[in-house]
Amino acid sequence: MLKKMVMITIYLVIGFQAKASFEPTEIIRTLASAKTEAKKMQNICEIHAGDVGKLRYKADTYEKAFSKVTDECFQKRNDLYVRNRNEQPDQDRQIQFAESCLNSVKCI
């Protein structure tokens, strides 16, 4: 029984010494630095296409940037069609425009 008490005491002493030598402020600084780096990262989506040119949007999230760039691409393709043919594209053509815009987006 005495042997067990001595072993428990030794483990406790070693544990407290290890805890005292551990600096949680370093971990906090590291986490804060990582959070700052994550904020610096940009959510940018872009399209390079011959008919609409280069479109690039930056937003708070990838979803917002993706939505902005695809909407602008679709609108430009639709406007270009109307300008060249003086009529609105049919639904099948609009679906092709939307699919083409969605498939050509690259996000950083």
Side-chain angles (χ1 to χ4, degrees):
M1 181 74 167
L2 183 62
K3 187 175 181 181
K4 286 184 182 180
M5 293 294 279
V6 171
M7 291 301 288
I8 291 172
T9 306
I10 291 173
Y11 287 134
L12 288 174
V13 169
I14 291 172
F16 282 120
Q17 287 177 349
K19 186 177 178 185
S21 68
F22 178 71
E23 291 189 37
T25 55
E26 280 300 315
I27 291 180
I28 292 171
R29 280 191 210 125
T30 304
L31 291 175
S33 175
K35 190 174 182 181
T36 304
E37 286 296 318
K39 284 184 180 180
K40 288 181 184 177
M41 293 178 64
Q42 301 296 326
N43 299 314
I44 300 171
C45 291
E46 58 188 13
I47 293 177
H48 297 281
D51 56 346
V52 297
K54 180 181 176 183
L55 303 174
R56 183 178 182 146
Y57 285 95
K58 179 171 48 171
D60 298 338
T61 63
Y62 282 115
E63 291 81 12
K64 287 180 184 177
F66 186 86
S67 177
K68 281 183 179 181
V69 77
T70 54
D71 288 346
E72 184 68 22
C73 174
F74 176 78
Q75 193 61 45
K76 284 192 174 212
R77 285 197 171 143
N78 200 40
D79 292 345
L80 187 62
Y81 187 91
V82 170
R83 193 175 11 193
N84 289 336
R85 293 185 175 82
N86 292 326
E87 64 182 17
Q88 288 290 328
D90 61 354
Q91 187 175 8
D92 290 335
R93 180 69 58 144
Q94 287 180 341
I95 291 171
Q96 288 175 348
F97 290 164
E99 286 177 350
S100 177
C101 289
L102 290 173
N103 291 330
S104 59
V105 173
K106 304 261 188 295
C107 293
I108 302 170

